[in-house]
Amino acid sequence: MLLNSGSTTPIYVQIAEWLENEILNGNLEKGDKVFSQYKLADMFTINPATAAKGLNLLYEEGILYNKRGLGKFVSEEAMEIILEKRKNQKLKGLLVEAVQEAKRLQVSENDLLQMLKDMMEEKKGD
């Protein structure tokens, strides 16, 4: 993943989201050691302090935990925390935008729901 330096999303948040995606995709599992701030800094060509800020964000949310002297590891509850967070923040935000746009375009609730059902059906194989 390349970080988007032109994005309004801070780099440390992009690092945290990348690590969340690694967990969601199964590349990092509960109990796994995550990359150090220095490894992340090297991987993404960023300041180690920025990488540390991304790691600390996930630590504060309970997605990562510290093992003194060993680094940060994926918590037992990481997957559930990420899923709940993304449902309540990202997905809800996208749905609010979709509903607002549907109203502007005078799309009925039934038509909007049907569009959503159709998209869900299309994506079943993905």
Side-chain angles (χ1 to χ4, degrees):
M1 173 200 148
L2 294 175
L3 299 179
N4 183 354
S5 59
S7 170
T8 57
T9 304
I11 297 292
Y12 76 94
V13 173
Q14 292 181 52
I15 291 291
E17 288 176 351
W18 178 79
L19 285 166
E20 287 178 355
N21 287 335
E22 289 294 293
I23 294 167
L24 290 174
N25 293 334
N27 298 326
L28 287 171
E29 297 180 355
K30 47 183 133 182
D32 285 354
K33 185 179 188 325
V34 298
F35 303 105
S36 72
Q37 70 188 65
Y38 301 105
K39 178 66 177 167
L40 288 169
D42 187 47
M43 288 168 59
F44 294 106
T45 320
I46 59 171
N47 188 305
T50 303
K53 199 169 178 182
L55 289 167
N56 287 332
L57 181 64
L58 296 179
Y59 170 77
E60 290 166 7
E61 293 175 349
I63 295 168
L64 302 180
Y65 66 93
N66 281 327
K67 279 190 182 176
R68 191 175 195 124
L70 296 176
K72 290 192 173 26
F73 293 77
V74 178
S75 74
E76 290 288 318
E77 310 83 21
M79 184 70 80
E80 294 78 20
I81 293 169
I82 296 167
L83 290 173
E84 195 62 30
K85 178 175 107 172
R86 295 239 178 139
K87 274 193 274 187
N88 288 327
Q89 290 177 359
K90 208 169 214 167
L91 192 55
K92 200 177 246 183
L94 291 169
L95 289 172
V96 166
E97 284 182 43
V99 167
Q100 289 171 342
E101 186 67 12
K103 283 184 178 183
R104 282 191 288 271
L105 299 173
Q106 299 175 351
V107 174
S108 73
E109 182 179 333
N110 286 338
D111 287 347
L112 183 59
L113 287 171
Q114 189 58 53
M115 289 171 75
L116 181 58
K117 287 177 184 176
D118 292 346
M119 289 185 86
M120 294 289 285
E121 191 61 36
E122 282 178 30
K123 297 295 179 187
K124 267 189 179 172
D126 291 352

